[in-house]
Amino acid sequence: MRTTMDIPHAPHYRPPPPTTAELEWAELPTVDLSLSNTPEGMEELAKVVKTVMKVHGFFYVINHGATPEFNARMFDIADLAFAATTDADKTAYAASIKEAGSYQGFKARQYWHIDSGVRDEVEIYSSTCVVSHRQCRPGRLSERRAVHRDVRKREHPEVLRPFLPEISAFARFNHLRVLHPLLRLFARAADLPEDAFVNIDNYDAAGETYGKHALMAPTTGSSPML
């Protein structure tokens, strides 16, 4: 078990203040995962999720078990992906999105063209792993590439390497403690067996799941926001 002395230092990330602009905020449903511990609670939440699936498409999740300290630490680490890496790092660890369909690594700001000359303003570092499975077939050797969720099995920028155990723990927590309960709710809402989606999205299996550190470029007069 790691002690406090073993935990590497990361400068504390201070988020920008909330906007004071008058905006038309969307009213979204809330899924309270603390209610998922009982059959009655699951049934009630499944109704909420069914409405989400049919009407909203988005929702909030509360009472998922991640403490404010846990989340704050991950923001500190996420900030390092942008504040403490060099342009050379971002080139060396660039994601092969268009070439190979892989999001592992850095996606540069303004990589995507949205419309009419407008480009995206989000810089992203995606943490996951690509593992190769070599298979012998008659007359040839083939290779399948699959995404694995254990971030420690993939090379990362040097500044992030001391933090890989924490990034991995955060990814596992979200997959097992947040995603899996939600998948069970989606299955219920779709009148499927409760573990239908969980069984095909096991944490230890290969799959297209990424832990993403994202930095939104500032608008005029504001600060960058993770």
Side-chain angles (χ1 to χ4, degrees):
M1 179 179 292
R2 303 178 90 194
T3 66
T4 303
M5 294 183 64
D6 297 326
I7 298 175
H9 172 71
H12 182 54
Y13 169 74
R14 298 189 181 279
T19 181
T20 57
E22 291 293 331
L23 300 173
E24 186 177 348
W25 298 100
E27 293 293 334
L28 297 178
T30 297
V31 174
D32 183 350
L33 286 184
S34 68
L35 302 178
S36 65
N37 297 322
T38 66
E40 297 79 12
M42 286 289 287
E43 189 64 32
E44 190 62 33
L45 290 177
K47 295 176 183 177
V48 175
V49 169
K50 181 170 286 191
T51 301
V52 167
M53 294 166 66
K54 291 182 175 181
V55 179
H56 302 280
F58 296 90
F59 57 96
Y60 293 109
V61 177
I62 62 172
N63 293 326
H64 38 63
T67 65
E69 294 77 16
F70 188 37
N71 285 329
R73 173 66 174 174
M74 292 313 302
F75 272 97
D76 295 345
I77 294 171
D79 189 44
L80 291 173
F82 310 105
T85 52
T86 65
D87 289 341
D89 289 328
K90 293 175 182 179
T91 299
Y93 295 95
S96 301
I97 300 173
K98 295 178 181 177
E99 299 83 358
S102 171
Y103 285 82
Q104 165 64 41
F106 284 101
K107 182 206 77 70
R109 176 185 172 190
Q110 299 189 341
Y111 183 85
W112 296 114
H113 174 250
I114 299 171
D115 188 36
S116 303
V118 177
R119 307 192 74 86
D120 78 274
E121 295 291 346
V122 183
E123 187 176 1
I124 297 174
Y125 182 74
S126 298
S127 303
T128 186
C129 173
V130 177
V131 293
S132 296
H133 302 280
R134 299 171 67 85
Q135 294 180 316
C136 290
R137 294 183 179 179
R140 63 176 179 169
L141 182 70
S142 67
E143 184 174 72
R144 293 188 297 113
R145 288 165 60 82
V147 176
H148 196 282
R149 298 183 176 94
D150 189 342
V151 300
R152 295 166 297 180
K153 295 182 180 179
R154 174 79 177 188
E155 282 297 312
H156 299 271
E158 185 174 359
V159 69
L160 292 178
R161 293 173 196 169
F163 303 93
L164 292 183
E166 292 177 88
I167 295 173
S168 182
F170 187 69
R172 177 177 286 273
F173 175 91
N174 279 285
H175 197 96
L176 300 180
R177 298 280 299 277
V178 182
L179 177 61
H180 275 189
L182 290 175
L183 289 179
R184 292 187 175 97
L185 289 171
F186 277 110
R188 275 182 173 244
D191 297 321
L192 294 171
E194 192 169 283
D195 284 338
F197 297 139
V198 169
N199 289 339
I200 60 176
D201 199 23
N202 187 280
Y203 181 81
D204 294 320
E208 292 290 335
T209 301
Y210 296 85
K212 292 181 180 288
H213 309 305
L215 182 71
M216 174 70 74
T219 55
T220 303
S222 63
S223 302
M225 182 173 64
L226 284 173

